[in-house]
Amino acid sequence: EFRRVLFRSPLCGSGNVRLHATLFPQTMDENVVTNSLEEQPLSQLKSSSVFDVPETAAPPEVDESSLPLGQRLSSTKAPTRRDALKELAELFASGDVACFDEYAARLRPALEDKGSLCHEGALNATLAFAQHAPEEAVKEGSGIAKLMVEKHLAGKFQAKVVSALLCLLEVGAAEAVQAALQLAVEHKIPKLKAGGARAAVEAMRAFGGGSVDAKALTGRLPELLDHRDK
């Protein structure tokens, strides 16, 4: 194949120019991609593949599975925290007394974790703590009752929250549970209000009418009957 190139040359004795064409051999197929950037026509250059060079390479993934449990509970990666919480729940369930002193303070940040991937693990660890920790340790950690109610009672893990509250009641943390349920039944969110009512009923079924102050809890519950969210 040949390429036709137009040239302009002046006409003798005049200011006019003359166009004439010359054929040159076609030396490169425009559809063929060459290896050299200088040899490629501008029409073939793609900014996404040639010019968009990342400033820094992505760092390699770090395997955190071998880190100590305390470090994994504080990891910035939600999957790592989730797995660590599962391990913590198993540790609490083992009844190892030393672990309660070491990790009881980890429950509050776990319950406050904004990563939805970690919510169930945090509640499982809290439930295991309430079921197996020495009574004194559970009473000292009973401040988590209100946090559980506020953060998780209206969610899909309501049953786990209720079970943990009943465990706290069983070891004598009635005051903390009462305050948590009071927070629930007085809340503006109907689901939280209903969750508080359910927890109160379960408490009275399990431990009798004197386990919680039912009168204080039921004063606001009639509002639920008239609420448009059935």
Side-chain angles (χ1 to χ4, degrees), residues 19 23 49 53 65 67 71-72 75 83 91-92 128 132 137-139 143 152 157-158 162 179 185 218 220 225:
L19 294 177
L23 297 178
S49 60
V53 180
S65 59
L67 293 177
Q71 291 186 32
R72 285 183 282 126
S75 171
D83 295 343
L91 191 60
F92 284 155
H132 300 283
V138 176
K139 288 179 181 178
H152 301 288
F157 301 119
Q158 185 182 100
V162 173
V185 298
T218 56
R220 301 290 298 275
L225 300 176

Side-chain angles (χ1 to χ4, degrees), residues 8 12 33 49 52 59 70 79 82 117 135 169 197 205-206 211 217:
R8 295 194 305 174
C12 295
V33 179
S49 60
D52 293 347
R82 175 200 59 195
L117 198 63
E135 287 189 12
L169 270 178
R205 282 177 177 170
S211 57
L217 295 175

Side-chain angles (χ1 to χ4, degrees), residues 99-114:
C99 75
F100 298 113
D101 292 334
E102 185 175 359
Y103 294 110
R106 297 284 188 164
L107 293 177
R108 177 172 289 274
L111 291 169
E112 292 176 333
D113 197 320
K114 295 181 179 179

